[in-house]
Amino acid sequence: MDLSAQSKPQIGRANGAFAVLVPLGVLFWALGVVLLRALTAAGWLAGDGWHWLAYALIVLLTVPAVRLGRRAARLPIDRTLYAVTVMSMTALFIDGIVIGFAPWIYATDPAQARAAAGALLWGVAVALALGMAMERRAQRRSACQPRGNVA
């Protein structure tokens, strides 16, 4: 299967996907902060054994976010990784600024702010892994589809 730039249609900036995905990255980052502030307040990121539950919850919430982002940008399923990359890039830009200049946005206690930032990084990694898996699955399915009469 040839995946060169010539065989793959150029989808992204030309159809406005980038302009949809950047604001979604901001939105998902903000929702992540709200969630992580709640988890921090509940003590789930305090390092007392509840981390695993918080991280599992992040995985469960990331799956629909990945699907929603791709669909909102009107991208085919084989462009899921592109959608996730743009949204994640946006969130990481914001995350880097917040960690460096305003960690109180995550939590008032520095240790809790670091735990929340780590959980946000985990969410980005999960999103990228899901994007890769979804795109690969779509590619496998399309490779298994019959392509008409082959003589």
Side-chain angles (χ1 to χ4, degrees):
M1 176 189 329
D2 181 24
L3 295 178
S4 69
Q6 294 154 343
S7 68
K8 197 169 204 176
Q10 295 301 311
I11 299 173
R13 292 187 74 131
N15 73 353
F18 190 84
V20 171
L21 294 167
V22 168
L24 279 174
V26 173
L27 175 66
F28 289 143
W29 174 84
L31 291 173
V33 169
V34 170
L35 172 68
L36 292 172
R37 283 188 69 100
L39 293 175
T40 300
W44 286 24
L45 296 177
D48 59 0
W50 288 101
H51 269 90
W52 69 270
L53 191 55
Y55 278 50
L57 181 61
I58 291 168
V59 172
L60 291 175
L61 295 174
T62 303
V63 173
V66 167
R67 289 184 176 145
L68 177 67
R70 181 189 55 80
R71 288 180 181 152
R74 297 182 178 177
L75 292 171
I77 196 165
D78 67 344
R79 298 294 290 179
T80 303
L81 187 57
Y82 172 79
V84 171
T85 300
V86 173
M87 292 185 297
S88 297
M89 171 199 65
T90 304
L92 286 173
F93 276 139
I94 299 168
D95 202 34
I97 292 168
V98 170
I99 291 169
F101 296 100
W104 53 265
I105 290 175
Y106 295 140
T108 54
D109 177 73
Q112 290 179 340
R114 282 190 302 275
L120 274 171
L121 292 173
W122 163 257
V124 168
V126 167
L128 289 168
L130 286 170
M132 287 176 62
M134 289 177 182
E135 189 166 304
R136 181 69 179 136
R137 184 175 179 197
Q139 289 170 348
R140 283 186 181 160
R141 282 185 177 173
S142 68
C144 292
Q145 297 290 329
R147 302 228 183 240
N149 293 337
V150 178

